[in-house]
Amino acid sequence: MGRKKNKQVVLKPWCWYCEREFEDEKILLTHQKAKHFKCHVCAKRLSTASGMVIHVAQVHKEDIKRVPNAMPGRDLPNIDIFGSQGIPEEDVADYERRMSEKLGDPASKRSRPPQMQSGVGTNGGSSGASTDAGIGTGV
């Protein structure tokens, strides 16, 4: 009859801070201003985390160390993200891979980089650097 068409997974805009998906970029920006870039003192909504840090420091004389309502590891305000712009490439690739697997795209499972096993090296250990950081060494 016909061949199966190769479907490409189209991802919706998503928030880097909390990984919530949105219908479009405008709704994502509204979400970020309301949940992640809102001043805790005067409720002013800023466009970026760094904008919020500057606002709070200049107007309220306080320091902000963390982005509110963000996942652990993504709560530092030093990364400038505006909607979908500014998201680190490795996080975009990881998110796309996970969403493709979740939606059942078999190609995403084949394109995964090979996993290195702990204690098994390909260079004979001549580099002197270890990615295990002492894990499993009994130290």
Side-chain angles (χ1 to χ4, degrees):
M1 290 264 157
R3 294 188 296 171
K4 260 189 170 179
K5 292 183 180 176
N6 199 4
K7 291 183 183 178
Q8 185 167 354
V9 178
V10 178
L11 298 175
K12 295 178 180 179
W14 56 282
C15 179
W16 181 77
Y17 295 102
C18 64
E19 287 202 354
R20 184 173 167 193
E21 285 188 342
F22 298 91
E23 290 300 316
D24 60 33
E25 189 81 11
K26 186 176 179 181
I27 298 171
L28 168 60
L29 290 170
T30 302
H31 159 80
Q32 287 177 338
K33 287 180 179 184
K35 295 291 182 185
H36 305 297
F37 308 147
K38 185 176 177 182
C39 175
H40 70 281
V41 179
C42 67
K44 181 175 182 164
R45 295 177 181 194
L46 290 302
S47 296
T48 63
S50 60
M52 179 183 62
V53 169
I54 292 168
H55 163 78
V56 172
Q58 289 180 348
V59 176
H60 306 295
K61 309 297 186 232
E62 294 181 18
D63 287 332
I64 294 204
K65 304 284 188 225
R66 305 272 179 227
V67 174
N69 305 311
M71 294 172 29
R74 294 189 180 177
D75 55 357
L76 298 176
N78 60 346
I79 298 176
D80 246 356
I81 293 176
F82 180 77
S84 296
Q85 298 174 356
I87 298 175
E89 289 296 322
E90 60 273 6
D91 291 340
V92 171
D94 181 55
Y95 182 80
E96 287 175 350
R97 180 191 53 79
R98 287 186 287 118
M99 290 301 113
S100 293
E101 286 178 4
K102 183 178 174 183
L103 296 172
D105 180 18
S108 66
K109 293 177 183 167
R110 286 192 302 262
S111 64
R112 239 190 244 178
Q115 297 286 327
M116 292 281 293
Q117 292 181 354
S118 179
V120 178
T122 56
N123 61 2
S126 61
S127 71
S130 173
T131 59
D132 293 341
I135 297 173
T137 60
V139 178

